[in-house]
Amino acid sequence: QVQLVESGGGLVQPGGSLRLSCAVSGIDFGFYTMGWYRQAPGKERDAVATIINGGGTNYADSVKGRFTISRDNAKNTMYLQMNSLKPEDTAVYYCNARYPRAGYNCWGQGTQVTVST
């Protein structure tokens, strides 16, 4: 019943842009902290950016100034605008919804982002 579905991944050249979307259903979206995480082969899954229900954001140092996280509570959708992409941004990007006080943590299936010539 709870679903997080990512879209927008693909192949892009260095310096290019992509916009990822995460469509959420089955929960009251506005109650949850949302985030984008990524995992490259052989590496840990790390937080890229998070956004709380009030709109406050946090970014990994590696993406500050290049990526922008946002949410539209009316559409139950979260976005990640990715600009000035670098090869080291190549990874599977995952959508995450959390409500720690209720012990809730849910993940999407992931979408592949490849930055290469």
Side-chain angles (χ1 to χ4, degrees):
Q1 61 171 0
V2 178
Q3 293 191 66
L4 285 71
V5 181
E6 301 96 335
S7 62
L11 175 64
V12 65
Q13 294 184 351
S17 298
L18 287 172
R19 184 173 66 183
L20 306 183
S21 298
C22 174
V24 180
S25 62
I27 61 172
D28 290 326
F29 181 74
F31 286 111
Y32 292 83
T33 296
M34 302 295 298
W36 289 99
Y37 293 69
R38 67 186 181 187
Q39 186 170 26
K43 297 184 179 180
E44 297 180 352
R45 184 180 297 187
D46 293 323
V48 176
T50 58
I51 182 167
I52 63 174
N53 55 8
T57 59
N58 282 289
Y59 295 91
D61 288 342
S62 59
V63 306
K64 286 181 179 178
R66 300 189 298 120
F67 291 9
T68 302
I69 188 172
S70 61
R71 65 193 293 167
D72 188 335
N73 289 348
K75 296 182 178 180
N76 285 9
T77 304
M78 178 181 64
Y79 306 94
L80 185 68
Q81 180 65 46
M82 309 165 66
N83 298 326
S84 302
L85 283 161
K86 305 175 180 179
E88 51 263 44
D89 295 318
T90 297
V92 177
Y93 284 70
Y94 296 91
C95 178
N96 176 258
R98 297 187 181 192
Y99 191 9
R101 287 172 290 179
Y104 185 89
N105 188 10
C106 188
W107 295 91
Q109 294 293 107
T111 185
Q112 177 71 48
V113 172
T114 303
V115 184
S116 176
T117 57

